[in-house]
Amino acid sequence: MRIGQGFDAHAFREGGRLVLGGVEIPHTHSLAAHSDGDVLLHALCDALLGAAGLGDIGQHFPDTDPTYKGIDSRKLLSHVMHLLRGRGLRVGNADLTLVAQVPKLAPYRDAMRAVIAQDLHVSADAVNVKATTTEQMGFTGRKEGIAALAVVLLFTESHA
Ligand code: MG
């Protein structure tokens, strides 16, 4: 077994598409980023890469590379999963937390869970998506942006 953790944060900007966990969420603001700004999938990618001992998302997908401009973060996740498969690793489970004062995320948790489970090639009960506020404290509390945390467990194929 191998464990990994990931963290990411992005600032809000007015307008645009807010995409979290591969799910588009209606909101007045989106997240500023080189990619589509899916902070949850970025934290997840970092947790997966961390568990595999493969560095971080910035090494694999530099934000100076125009290839990744506006890219769907599910494509980044798909590439990470390809790297893991190549090393004989599969996902046991993933526990994910979104930290946001706005918008309300609870109505979208199950949709995110389904998308992520599909991308990780696991059943939905192996993926947990939580959402919390910081009680109006700090940058998420001031509605300046959204943060995300991820923890994953990987198994080597011999235990599959
Ligand atoms: Mg990011």
Side-chain angles (χ1 to χ4, degrees), residues 8-10 33 35 37-39 42 57:
D8 196 21
H10 282 269
S35 67
D38 194 328
V39 67
H42 295 179
I57 193 169

Side-chain angles (χ1 to χ4, degrees), residues 1-4 44 47-49 51-52 54 80-94 117 119-123 125-127 151-160:
M1 291 182 288
R2 301 180 67 109
I3 194 168
L44 174 58
L48 292 164
L49 290 168
L54 289 171
V80 169
M81 288 304 294
H82 176 76
L83 294 175
L84 262 56
R85 271 197 306 280
R87 282 160 179 77
L89 296 166
R90 67 177 179 86
V91 174
N93 75 299
D119 289 355
L120 296 183
H121 314 296
V122 295
S123 58
D125 67 358
V127 176
V151 175
V152 302
L153 190 69
L154 303 182
F155 288 102
T156 57
E157 296 288 6
S158 57
H159 292 94

Side-chain angles (χ1 to χ4, degrees), residues 7-155:
F7 172 80
D8 196 21
H10 282 269
F12 278 130
R13 63 181 172 104
E14 272 186 57
R17 292 171 63 240
L18 177 63
V19 182
L20 295 171
V23 174
E24 188 165 342
I25 294 171
H27 191 47
T28 53
H29 290 65
S30 60
L31 294 173
H34 187 64
S35 67
D36 66 359
D38 194 328
V39 67
L40 186 59
L41 294 192
H42 295 179
L44 174 58
C45 284
D46 258 354
L48 292 164
L49 290 168
L54 289 171
D56 67 32
I57 193 169
Q59 286 172 252
H60 292 271
F61 313 107
D63 62 10
T64 49
D65 187 337
T67 311
Y68 305 119
K69 184 147 176 56
I71 196 170
D72 177 348
S73 293
R74 289 182 72 186
K75 290 187 180 153
L76 307 182
L77 178 57
S78 164
H79 182 73
V80 169
M81 288 304 294
H82 176 76
L83 294 175
L84 262 56
R85 271 197 306 280
R87 282 160 179 77
L89 296 166
R90 67 177 179 86
V91 174
N93 75 299
D95 187 20
L96 313 171
T97 304
L98 278 160
V99 186
Q101 198 68 42
V102 286
K104 275 245 170 291
L105 297 173
Y108 305 98
R109 276 188 308 219
D110 287 344
M112 292 184 220
R113 190 180 191 185
V115 166
I116 292 165
Q118 185 184 336
D119 289 355
L120 296 183
H121 314 296
V122 295
S123 58
D125 67 358
V127 176
N128 195 73
V129 178
K130 307 189 295 295
T132 188
T133 72
T134 51
E135 302 288 346
Q136 294 169 34
M137 295 179 290
F139 70 90
T140 60
R142 291 188 299 267
K143 305 176 186 173
E144 292 169 7
I146 294 179
L149 304 106
V151 175
V152 302
L153 190 69
L154 303 182
F155 288 102

